[in-house]
Amino acid sequence: MASRTPGTSLSATSQAQPQGKPHSINEYTSVKKPPHLDRLTSVTHQEATVESVTIDVEDGPDGFVPGFLHMPPNFTSAAASQEHHRTAAILLSGAGGGVTGPSSIYLSLACKLATLSSGIPTLRLDYRYPARSKYCVADVYAGMKYLQDLYGLDRFVLIGWSFGGAPVFTVGGADQRVVGCATVASQTAETEGIRKLPPRPVLLLHGTGDRTLSYACSERLYAMYGDKGSRQLELFDGDSHALTGNAATAEGMLCEFIAKCAGVEVDDGLRREVVEAELVGDGERDELMRRGGDLRGPERRE
């Protein structure tokens, strides 16, 4: 295989609305839940609900974006306003869109977050027009509005893979409802918003063997964030763009980061029974990414 020099951006060269319609949630029915969810429910004796959603985006025609919303058992908007931490996580994929994330991490991460002792509602959100920040940022705002209007959730943790760093830091830098941001193998293009994120925390994960976006991107983001808040950079030696060699470790780090942002304690029991549960096998990750739309366009595992 020919070598490829990793870049710094997967954003579309044109921000014009492309031809065609956004993807339908019906295209993703096979990745609504992780294949081994029973390994979690058999221990916790409860199961988060997973709802297929189509969220209105009020910025023109074709104004809807699909996703999956994972809700804690017995969650109500009344509980959120009175006793819940009112925090939700929004998980964003790369330049091809999709709903499973790098190495299908999002598929299991969302279930785990919703199953924690004080469950964290989690939205796996697609894009209408992937790699076009103007539209993707509007998609994120629409997701936040949806969660706030329907469930009273007004604190958000944003997670992005690859191109997903652009909408994550654009929204995170501009909106104080965002209480933390994390990225996996982020680009640096269109990420200036990270400078406005402190003192809210950031977690940056990247593989040094990434042949799609150089790990220097995350090093640059770490520097752009500055020293006025909580920042963490974790480089995985020799690993790929999708962190295929450290998927479980990365998922665990994201889970605990999001929980900390929400003020949810993860004790040893929860870590063992929930965070470390293997809901997606290593041999299943690539196929689930393909079915979830995460390998469309310029996105790659390598």
Side-chain angles (χ1 to χ4, degrees):
M1 181 181 294
S3 62
R4 182 171 68 241
T5 301
T8 60
S9 175
L10 291 182
S11 294
T13 55
S14 170
Q15 291 297 309
Q17 180 173 317
Q19 298 295 318
K21 300 283 187 180
H23 290 275
S24 165
I25 191 62
N26 295 327
E27 299 176 43
Y28 302 129
T29 54
S30 67
V31 289
K32 186 174 184 178
K33 297 180 181 181
H36 306 294
L37 183 59
D38 60 300
R39 295 175 181 173
L40 183 61
T41 57
S42 65
V43 174
T44 61
H45 305 294
Q46 60 179 352
E47 182 175 342
T49 61
V50 186
E51 179 184 357
S52 303
V53 296
T54 299
I55 298 172
D56 290 335
V57 189
E58 299 175 355
D59 67 347
D62 300 325
F64 65 88
V65 60
F68 290 109
L69 178 58
H70 297 245
M71 295 298 292
N74 305 314
F75 183 91
T76 65
S77 57
S81 63
Q82 296 174 11
E83 58 194 39
H84 193 263
H85 45 71
R86 304 198 320 275
T87 307
I90 299 179
L91 313 182
L92 304 168
S93 285
V99 292
T100 57
S103 294
S104 301
I105 286 174
Y106 294 170
L107 189 55
S108 51
L109 176 61
C111 290
K112 294 176 181 181
L113 290 169
T115 309
L116 292 174
S117 55
S118 181
I120 301 172
T122 302
L123 176 62
R124 293 190 281 136
L125 190 66
D126 197 8
Y127 305 122
R128 291 169 300 157
Y129 303 112
R132 289 163 171 80
S133 291
K134 170 185 174 181
Y135 297 101
C136 297
V137 166
D139 294 342
V140 177
Y141 276 122
M144 292 165 64
K145 183 178 187 300
Y146 179 88
L147 292 168
Q148 187 163 3
D149 288 352
L150 267 66
Y151 299 102
L153 301 164
D154 57 8
R155 303 173 77 251
F156 301 96
V157 185
L158 304 182
I159 311 297
W161 173 48
S162 188
F163 160 81
V168 161
F169 292 127
T170 298
V171 176
D175 196 314
Q176 290 297 315
R177 291 177 297 171
V178 177
V179 296
C181 295
T183 56
V184 177
S186 178
Q187 64 180 42
T188 49
E190 302 179 289
T191 58
E192 284 294 315
I194 194 173
R195 299 184 188 276
K196 299 179 181 178
L197 191 61
R200 293 166 291 163
V202 67
L203 172 65
L204 306 165
L205 309 179
H206 218 124
T208 63
D210 191 330
R211 294 193 295 151
T212 302
L213 291 170
S214 171
Y215 70 91
C217 290
S218 287
E219 292 181 323
R220 174 61 178 158
L221 289 168
Y222 183 82
M224 289 166 64
Y225 178 88
D227 59 3
K228 302 300 184 182
S230 174
R231 59 179 177 172
Q232 181 180 355
L233 170 64
E234 187 74 24
L235 298 179
F236 295 91
D237 188 35
D239 209 350
S240 65
H241 187 53
L243 293 183
T244 53
N246 292 275
T249 299
E251 182 182 316
M253 293 181 70
L254 290 170
C255 191
E256 298 214 29
F257 174 82
I258 295 167
K260 185 175 181 180
C261 289
V264 175
E265 181 180 357
V266 178
D267 60 22
D268 290 341
L270 275 176
R271 186 171 294 109
R272 181 177 60 255
E273 295 179 356
V274 177
V275 177
E276 296 176 358
E278 185 182 10
L279 309 187
V280 177
D282 286 341
E284 300 168 311
R285 296 185 183 278
D286 287 356
E287 173 61 17
L288 291 170
M289 282 185 75
R290 186 190 65 77
R291 284 156 49 187
D294 293 83
L295 293 176
R296 294 186 296 239
E299 282 299 351
R300 300 290 183 269
R301 294 179 291 270
E302 298 83 14

